[in-house]
Amino acid sequence: MDNLTPSDLFSPSKARQQRAQAQDWAHIDSWLSYKYSGRSVPSFERNEETLKVLRELSMANERADESRITIERVEREALKEIDEAVRNEDDVRLLSKLRSSLTPEGEQALDALASTTVALNTPTANPETIAHALIQHTTTSQNLTNQLAYIQTLQDYLTKQHSLLRAQLNALGTNPAFVAPSNLQRQTTEQTRQTKHLRTKIREYEDKLSSLQLNQSRSMTPGSKYIGSADAIGEMLEQQKALDEVREKVEGLEREVGEFAGLPADREAARKEVGKLEVRLDEVRRRRDELFEGLVGK
């Protein structure tokens, strides 16, 4: 609720979403505190992806706890039934008589059959039922083994990629090619100052040219309206030429300044921005090479 913005107060859907996330985080914090039993919970980034993973982990843990409690209750009930069966004297006499009537091999086979039935948790000691249970357990074990192998391979791949990304990040941070010039801010300030000065000169020349054209038009008689003085025309051409040169110079400086327009004034921030642009350039180049290789392959 602390990260609600003023605009969220007028959006019921956003407010509900924020409240739901706050409740989920409260549940996660309580669950983590219980699991760590008074120890300090490690710090982690609090975002939607982390909340989703922790919520799924909490639900899986609760399901596992419920399954464990159910198994313990069933085991207690089974032990209770076994104790009651042992205390039944008729059953004891029947079991003793049955054991005394069996050969050593038969008694061993009966014990093996009973142990297998209990281990597989089958409802009966029917050999066919035990065989199906064995097949199911073997299949499940093989599937789990394959999944563990796949997860291990995926973990190795992610570890390798993480190492490569760390190496690339270190290279980007230490490569002199990605270091911004030390005098970048001074150059930008100087070029901006020159641009402003030249813009002032352009406006000054344009005003002079307009004034000259106005004076010339006023000094002309109706009969000589379309006939200009040679000196005036020459002066206008020279001023126009000077104006074009100044305009070209200003445009060139504007293009140079424009290359640094998106960079922040701080040198370290500008260096990081240049690094990001270099990384993006490398990605575009790799994409271009992949597309070219795909076209050549076709």
Side-chain angles (χ1 to χ4, degrees), residues 62-117:
E62 291 177 358
R63 290 194 297 268
D65 291 340
E66 292 177 357
S67 299
R68 178 177 53 81
I69 293 173
T70 303
I71 292 174
E72 291 177 354
R73 185 174 65 253
V74 171
E75 289 178 350
R76 286 195 301 269
E77 293 177 356
L79 290 174
K80 182 178 179 181
E81 292 178 359
I82 291 174
D83 292 339
E84 292 177 354
V86 170
R87 287 193 294 267
N88 192 334
E89 296 180 359
D90 294 336
D91 293 340
V92 172
R93 285 195 300 270
L94 179 61
L95 182 60
S96 300
K97 186 175 181 179
L98 178 62
R99 284 183 177 276
S100 62
S101 301
L102 291 174
T103 61
E105 292 80 2
E107 185 175 358
Q108 184 178 3
L110 181 61
D111 291 338
L113 182 61
S115 300
T116 304
T117 303

Side-chain angles (χ1 to χ4, degrees), residues 31-46:
W31 175 68
L32 290 175
S33 300
Y34 172 75
K35 287 299 179 182
Y36 278 87
S37 301
R39 294 175 296 170
S40 59
V41 180
S43 59
F44 55 90
E45 184 177 356
R46 290 177 174 263

